[in-house]
Amino acid sequence: MYVQELEPVAGSLGLSALVAALPLVIVLVLLGGVRLKAHLAGLTGLLAAALVAWLAYGMPLDQTLSSAAQGAVFGLFPILWIVVNALWVYRMTVRTRHFDILRRSFGGLSDDPRIQALVVAFCFGALLEALAGFGAPVAICSVMLVALGFEPVRAAVVALVANTAPVAFGAMGTPVVTLSQVTELPLDTVASVVGRQTPLLALVVPLVLVWLVDGRRGLRETWVPALACGIAFAVAQFAASNYVSAQLADIGAALAGAGALVAVPQARRPVAEPVRAAVLTGARSEDLDEADPRGEVVRAYAPYALIVVIFSVAQIPAVKDWLARTTQTYDWPFLDVVNADGDPVGANVFSWPIVSTGGTLVLLAGILTAVVLGVHARVAVREWAATVHELRFAILTVTSVLALAYVMNLSGQAATIGHFVAAAGAGLAFLSPVLGWFGVAVSGSDTSANALFGALQVTAARESGLSPELLAAANSSGGVLGKMISPQNLTIACAAVGLAGREGDLLRKVLPWSIGLLLVMCLIVVGQSSPVLGWMLP
């Protein structure tokens, strides 16, 4: 049995936290400073985490390796299982040219590239995040923006920054469901508080996107539709998360945001050609002006409609209960860990949601998509294999970073960092979102960050007299802003637009926005912990 220790280095929490943070610092420095490829940075960070666990924390080597193996398996299933199947659906639409039809349909909503960025990256990206998440929105939206004429780096940056507001309720609410499970707080309560934080981001992000696309001129000329889109998205996300269902919050928000853009007259006004020429510095697809038969347009939207229908059916109580019963649980080999209080950690038992996981539901949608689009079974299988090959380095990055996160979590490194941050006392409300941001920056998953730090946030809140629900929600809401700088998301974005190996360049472009929006979220949480914004909480 391995017992986690919070202060293994000289009996000091501060020194122990400094040592525990080394793997995370190494990964970020290698990515942003040295410009090392993401999978190599992830593997180096994993090695550092294993050495810290073994040498500084005294975790037996067999348990250290076993925890890394479980993290890698979790990275493969369910995370990459969702990504691979979601991108497989996309590849089939590309092969049958229905993706071109979908792209032309989006492009036909407005010829203004700033509005197109909102439609594709913010609204459609939010829908993809709601249904699949885990990198699929960034990959697909980046490709669509490049096809519309966006320069690859700009397309990737826009897609990464847009993938923020919907993340907490992504993959059918998986992050908040996980947060509820690890904190033992009611799901409705946690989702309600998150739904009073992330919608405030939704008011800002569309304005940031038009600035990224066209600078000050873009903000001056398109702030009305951008703000309308943000308000509609925010209101729908708030209403659904508080009064309907956390699992359906992003679907409603994405559709509301798109509806607002269609309804605002300024979004449909023709844009001056000099503006288009200045913004669209990439090669615009020549087929954007083609007219498509209505039936083919319906078939182009069919894959995403199938995903919506399948995931909606999966939320029916009887179906949801049946799916839950298909989950298999196993004692993970060579792992026997208890926390500092002597309680066994959940990772000693591994759950395998074979059928109920989002990836399997997307796989079913993919099979139906192949039928609807007329893709032969042999071709569909070949496209699935090609998807895996295309993502091979992203797969290595995700598995290594998740292995790193599990080693840090099970050895006690994550708990040390969490307790060090919790010792901030009165400053905890400000630092709480930072902890979630840090977790997502490393793991690439708001779900993983919630599993990593959610219980610590609740413990620290109770010790400091703050609202446990507020700090638990702040972990998830702050975490969404770490998504754009996570190694695997950067890798997926680069692979999608043909910038393999330039993850460091993207990191330097999105890091200021990540930190700036994180500061906004920190101030929101501080306000909600005081009478200034305390009235916002349920």
Side-chain angles (χ1 to χ4, degrees), residues 65-82:
L65 296 177
S66 181
S67 60
Q70 185 177 160
V73 169
F74 180 74
L76 290 171
F77 191 99
I79 291 180
L80 286 164
W81 182 236
I82 295 176

Side-chain angles (χ1 to χ4, degrees), residues 323-356:
L323 290 173
R325 289 196 295 272
T326 65
T327 300
Q328 303 292 318
T329 57
Y330 308 93
D331 289 329
W332 190 258
F334 307 110
L335 204 59
D336 186 11
V337 180
V338 297
N339 61 25
D341 296 326
D343 300 320
V345 300
N348 291 330
V349 177
F350 182 75
S351 296
W352 191 22
I354 305 172
V355 180
S356 60

Side-chain angles (χ1 to χ4, degrees), residues 239-266:
S241 60
N242 276 266
Y243 306 112
V244 183
S245 165
Q247 287 84 353
L248 300 177
D250 280 346
I251 294 177
L255 296 176
L261 281 175
V262 172
V264 175
Q266 288 93 326

Side-chain angles (χ1 to χ4, degrees), residues 51-67:
L51 290 174
V52 170
W54 181 36
L55 299 176
Y57 279 75
M59 189 180 198
L61 187 58
D62 60 337
Q63 298 213 46
T64 301
L65 296 177
S66 181
S67 60

Side-chain angles (χ1 to χ4, degrees), residues 25-104:
V25 174
I26 287 171
V27 170
L28 293 176
V29 169
L30 289 178
L31 271 178
V34 183
R35 301 189 186 185
L36 196 65
K37 291 184 177 179
H39 65 280
L40 297 177
L43 290 170
T44 305
L46 171 59
L47 176 61
L51 290 174
V52 170
W54 181 36
L55 299 176
Y57 279 75
M59 189 180 198
L61 187 58
D62 60 337
Q63 298 213 46
T64 301
L65 296 177
S66 181
S67 60
Q70 185 177 160
V73 169
F74 180 74
L76 290 171
F77 191 99
I79 291 180
L80 286 164
W81 182 236
I82 295 176
V83 175
V84 168
N85 289 324
L87 291 182
W88 173 54
V89 172
Y90 156 72
R91 284 183 66 98
M92 285 192 291
T93 65
V94 170
R95 185 177 184 90
T96 60
R97 299 191 179 280
H98 285 90
F99 179 75
D100 294 333
I101 297 172
L102 186 69
R103 175 168 45 82
R104 284 194 290 270

